[in-house]
Amino acid sequence: LTYYTSVYEWDGVAWTEFSAPGPMGRNGSALVFNPSEKCTYLLGGIYDDKAGYKILFDVWTWNGTSWQQVDTT
């Protein structure tokens, strides 16, 4: 299984790839856009390594240029 960490943004005409450090690749995550904060949230997911599946409970925000991990404690 291949996990991608690329971020692409659509401007109405073309896709632009952003290369910024951030969350690890995963499957089964959710993305939601918050218009009041003008950012996208990445919620959890599943990662498969040689020891088996790991459930991810992390939360990240994407502001259009960079990722930031959200403290959920």
Side-chain angles (χ1 to χ4, degrees), residues 1 3 24-27 46-54:
L1 197 53
Y3 296 96
M24 65 188 295
R26 61 196 63 213
N27 285 322
I46 298 171
Y47 177 76
D48 182 22
D49 65 10
K50 297 200 185 293
Y53 287 102
K54 296 187 188 302

Side-chain angles (χ1 to χ4, degrees), residues 23-57:
M24 65 188 295
R26 61 196 63 213
N27 285 322
S29 58
L31 285 173
V32 61
F33 180 70
N34 182 336
S36 65
E37 295 181 5
K38 297 182 179 166
C39 70
T40 300
Y41 281 83
L42 170 70
L43 309 165
I46 298 171
Y47 177 76
D48 182 22
D49 65 10
K50 297 200 185 293
Y53 287 102
K54 296 187 188 302
I55 298 173
L56 303 170
F57 296 101

